[in-house]
């Protein structure tokens, strides 16, 4: 199982000290088969990379520019640049960036550039509350997948993170039976082997006991709770207990 920590726009150099506990945990037997991936803001990727030198915790970024080349794009970084400072993953299509205007076509270009740079992609999809109420969840997910992954043949480096927008940061999570159906639905969109599927949205040490029962889920994308080392470790421990 994969446990991806999405730190969003939080953290500074002092936060690095909070990683000691997680590093210790990652070297213990308690981690079982859990794989930890930290996605801090870009300002901390290099420092996290150094900090994780002697352990198996991996690092990702939270977005990238769609261009493979260096260029005059003030304020942006591309996937090559992220790779060069130690990132192996990148989160793309997060609803917080979709809200800022990223559409499926742009996300598709970003995914292609990330794959070219040999980054693994955590591709976020999910419906809003009003789309859910109008029973549009499946059509929204289909469009996000079809356009987002258009002309991408090799999907072995892609993880799909199902993150219902109404669940992010709200404490609300889907019912297990609904989530199971959606995981099944996402898998059915792929001929042959489906990408790994993660769930994200308000995952915490309490609700993990329910969420871990979902069949065919390969892990979790964790926002708020991942900034607290104890909570993050608890989520992993409880998944395997
Ligand atoms: P949350 O965020 O766990 O704080 O709901 C998840 C995410 O946005 O990836």
């Amino acid at each position: 199982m994969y446990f991806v920590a999405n730190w969003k726009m939080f953290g500074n150099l002092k936060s690095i000290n909070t990683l000691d506990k997680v590093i210790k945990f990652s070297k213990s037997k308690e981690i079982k088969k859990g794989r930890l991936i930290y996605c801090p803001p870009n300002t901390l990727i290099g420092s996290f990379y150094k900090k994780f030198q002697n352990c198996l915790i991996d690092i990702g970024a939270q977005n990238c520019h769609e261009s493979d080349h260096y260029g005059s794009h003030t304020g942006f970084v591309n996937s090559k640049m992220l790779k060069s400072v130690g990132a192996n993953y990148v989160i793309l299509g997060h609803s917080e960036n979709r809200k800022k205007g990223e559409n499926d076509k742009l996300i598709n270009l970003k995914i292609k550039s990330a794959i070219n740079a040999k980054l693994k992609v955590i591709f976020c999809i999910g419906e809003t509350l009003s789309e859910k109420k109008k029973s549009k969840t499946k059509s929204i997910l289909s469009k996000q997948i079809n356009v987002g992954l258009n002309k991408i043949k090799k999907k072995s480096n892609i993880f799909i993170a199902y993150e219902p927008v109404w669940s992010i940061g709200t404490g609300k999570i889907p019912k297990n039976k609904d989530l199971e159906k959606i995981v099944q639905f996402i898998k059915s969109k792929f001929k042959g082997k489906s990408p790994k599927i993660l769930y994200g949205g308000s995952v915490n040490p309490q609700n993990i006991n329910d969420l871990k029962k979902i069949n065919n889920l390969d892990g979790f994308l964790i926002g708020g709770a991942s900034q607290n080392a104890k909570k993050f470790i608890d989520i992993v421990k409880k998944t395997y207990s």
Side-chain angles (χ1 to χ4, degrees), residues 6 8 94 96 163 167-170 200-203 221-225:
N6 175 11
K8 309 193 180 189
H94 194 283
E96 285 154 12
E163 294 208 309
S167 180
I168 296 175
T170 59
S202 295
V203 178
L221 178 53
I222 304 156

Side-chain angles (χ1 to χ4, degrees), residues 104-132:
D104 294 318
K105 274 193 182 156
L106 178 66
I107 294 163
N108 174 251
L109 295 176
K110 290 185 178 211
I111 294 177
K112 285 175 179 158
S113 83
I115 289 173
N116 284 344
K118 304 219 161 17
L119 290 176
K120 294 188 175 118
V121 174
I122 297 163
F123 170 39
C124 300
I125 57 172
E127 82 286 1
T128 63
L129 187 59
S130 80
E131 288 159 350
K132 177 181 158 64

Side-chain angles (χ1 to χ4, degrees), residues 160-206:
I160 294 190
Y162 171 59
E163 294 208 309
V165 182
W166 50 271
S167 180
I168 296 175
T170 59
K172 293 184 189 134
I173 56 165
K175 292 195 186 87
N176 271 24
K177 70 173 188 349
D178 294 339
L179 196 46
E180 215 149 81
K181 275 187 202 149
I182 288 175
V183 171
Q184 215 39 56
F185 174 73
I186 296 171
K187 290 212 175 243
S188 75
K189 303 284 302 167
F190 298 92
K191 286 190 206 97
K193 208 168 170 232
S194 137
K196 290 194 171 28
I197 301 184
L198 313 179
Y199 167 76
S202 295
V203 178
N204 64 37
Q206 286 79 46

